[in-house]
Amino acid sequence: MTEADSARAPRLRRYRIGLQEIVRGDCLRVLKRMQEHSVDVVVTSPPYNIGLSYRSYPDRRAEEDYLDWMVAIGTQLRRVLKPDGSFFLNISGSSAQPWLPFELAVRLRALFVLQNHISWVKSISVGVDSFGHFKPMNSQRYLHRGHEHVFHFTCDGTVQLDRLGAGVPYKDKSNIARRGHSQDRRCRGDAWFIPYQTVRGRAEKFDHPGTFPVALPEQCILLHGREQAHVLDPFMGTGTTLLAAQNLGCTGVGIDIDADYVAVARARLRDAMAGRSE
Ligand SMILES: C[S@@+](CC[C@H](N)C(=O)[O-])C[C@H]1O[C@@H](n2cnc3c(N)ncnc32)[C@H](O)[C@@H]1O
């Protein structure tokens, strides 16, 4: 959105549900109005610029435009993030645009330090066993895409994390004493296997082409490890990050430009608060 478009843009709509605030509007415009150093954790997945069919956003810009736009958003995220905040950016390329996530990460280097690079594994085969949803790819050139990136950016690379809060129990319990740990918990590492729930149709995915599972933002918020953190998702989609924040007792702000996705996010949050599971 250009400055001129922004001036013509419709009035922002704001909704409060539980600990969460939802804003319908252009995220750059909303971010510019937010207070600096007010956010502990950003978890977001922007449009990947690979031609997905969102309801209103055309996911296909010239690559330079897209990167400039994302840098403008990154600049605002740096401003609203607390100095010890964490920015988790989930993105993937496509076979036609394999460099895009890396180009973006390099552009964001002017603003952030890449403190961790997490692989979100959506499906994997271990030996002859397979886990997660396998989406076949009809190609002799490319492998089935089983993972996406989660870049963990911070302002200076020194943010203390709660690795055990986001950790896992030891498989071999004798390692607890051997490694001098006081509890049955170790760091999860930087490969996170988080499969999608199996669904029967697109409607069960809220008619949205690019959601992530609630466990992904939950894991990011737990890893950042601040109690009652203030969480932000500038590309909220169906509100998954806000559901994670709500589940963990955190306040959150989610922004999306699309009225239909905002309606889905509001319904999901209302259902979660009424104890209706998805
Ligand atoms: C990859 S999706 C996010 C999905 C989300 N993580 C979820 O689980 O539902 C990206 C979202 O960005 C939204 N979007 C695109 N341009 C935007 C803008 N300028 N401001 C705010 N949201 C925007 C799209 O409508 C889309 O819902």
Side-chain angles (χ1 to χ4, degrees):
M1 192 180 260
T2 63
E3 294 288 336
D5 289 339
S6 186
R8 282 194 299 273
R11 201 164 62 83
L12 300 173
R13 302 294 299 261
R14 293 177 188 271
Y15 307 90
R16 277 210 161 273
I17 301 170
L19 300 171
Q20 312 308 315
E21 182 181 14
I22 290 178
V23 188
R24 171 156 76 87
D26 170 57
C27 62
L28 199 49
R29 182 171 167 224
V30 178
L31 288 170
K32 284 180 180 170
R33 296 173 179 203
M34 284 177 62
Q35 211 187 326
E36 69 169 342
H37 304 326
S38 57
V39 171
D40 293 286
V41 193
V42 177
V43 187
T44 200
S45 176
Y48 294 178
N49 209 37
I50 55 176
L52 288 188
S53 48
Y54 294 108
R55 264 192 246 211
S56 50
Y57 173 78
D59 188 34
R60 184 76 79 189
R61 298 179 178 217
E63 185 166 308
E64 270 311 301
D65 278 3
Y66 173 79
L67 292 172
D68 288 348
W69 178 58
M70 286 302 299
V71 169
I73 289 164
T75 304
Q76 290 306 316
L77 293 179
R78 176 78 164 78
R79 190 184 66 76
V80 300
L81 204 60
K82 291 182 183 171
D84 67 345
S86 282
F87 166 24
F88 295 91
L89 175 69
N90 162 229
I91 189 159
S92 173
S94 67
S95 306
Q97 279 173 288
W99 288 108
L100 190 83
F102 305 104
E103 299 274 6
L104 178 56
V106 170
R107 291 285 295 268
L108 292 176
R109 193 173 175 175
L111 297 165
F112 297 101
V113 171
L114 182 58
Q115 190 166 322
N116 288 285
H117 178 196
I118 298 155
S119 291
W120 164 29
V121 179
K122 301 190 282 189
S123 70
I124 191 165
S125 298
V126 181
V128 293
D129 230 338
S130 293
F131 305 89
H133 181 67
F134 178 78
K135 194 172 166 197
M137 184 182 257
N138 190 13
S139 166
Q140 286 297 102
R141 289 196 289 163
Y142 303 118
L143 298 174
H144 142 77
R145 282 185 173 263
H147 80 286
E148 298 198 4
H149 308 279
V150 180
F151 296 115
H152 173 219
F153 293 112
T154 60
C155 296
D156 64 4
T158 65
V159 172
Q160 303 289 299
L161 302 172
D162 187 1
R163 298 193 314 154
L164 297 190
V168 289
Y170 274 97
K171 188 87 175 169
D172 176 350
K173 303 298 180 196
S174 70
N175 278 326
I176 305 168
R178 191 166 41 244
R179 301 203 189 279
H181 286 292
S182 56
Q183 50 177 310
D184 181 9
R185 206 112 179 120
R186 68 158 175 82
C187 175
R188 178 178 296 269
D190 58 7
W192 296 356
F193 174 58
I194 305 179
Y196 281 108
Q197 266 186 329
T198 303
V199 292
R200 265 167 256 106
R202 200 176 146 125
E204 277 184 71
K205 287 186 90 179
F206 318 106
D207 225 355
H208 189 292
T211 61
F212 47 45
V214 183
L216 183 77
E218 273 179 359
Q219 201 59 42
C220 297
I221 296 168
L222 286 171
L223 181 61
H224 186 69
R226 310 298 189 270
E227 271 181 31
Q228 295 168 354
H230 191 46
V231 177
L232 166 67
D233 187 344
F235 296 104
M236 170 195 70
T238 61
T240 315
T241 299
L242 297 194
L243 274 179
Q246 186 71 25
N247 291 346
L248 296 172
C250 298
T251 53
V253 180
I255 309 163
D256 205 283
I257 202 154
D258 187 290
D260 291 339
Y261 298 149
V262 164
V264 172
R266 292 172 66 203
R268 285 181 86 191
L269 272 171
R270 278 195 304 262
D271 283 353
M273 290 186 57
R276 291 189 289 270
S277 61
E278 289 177 346

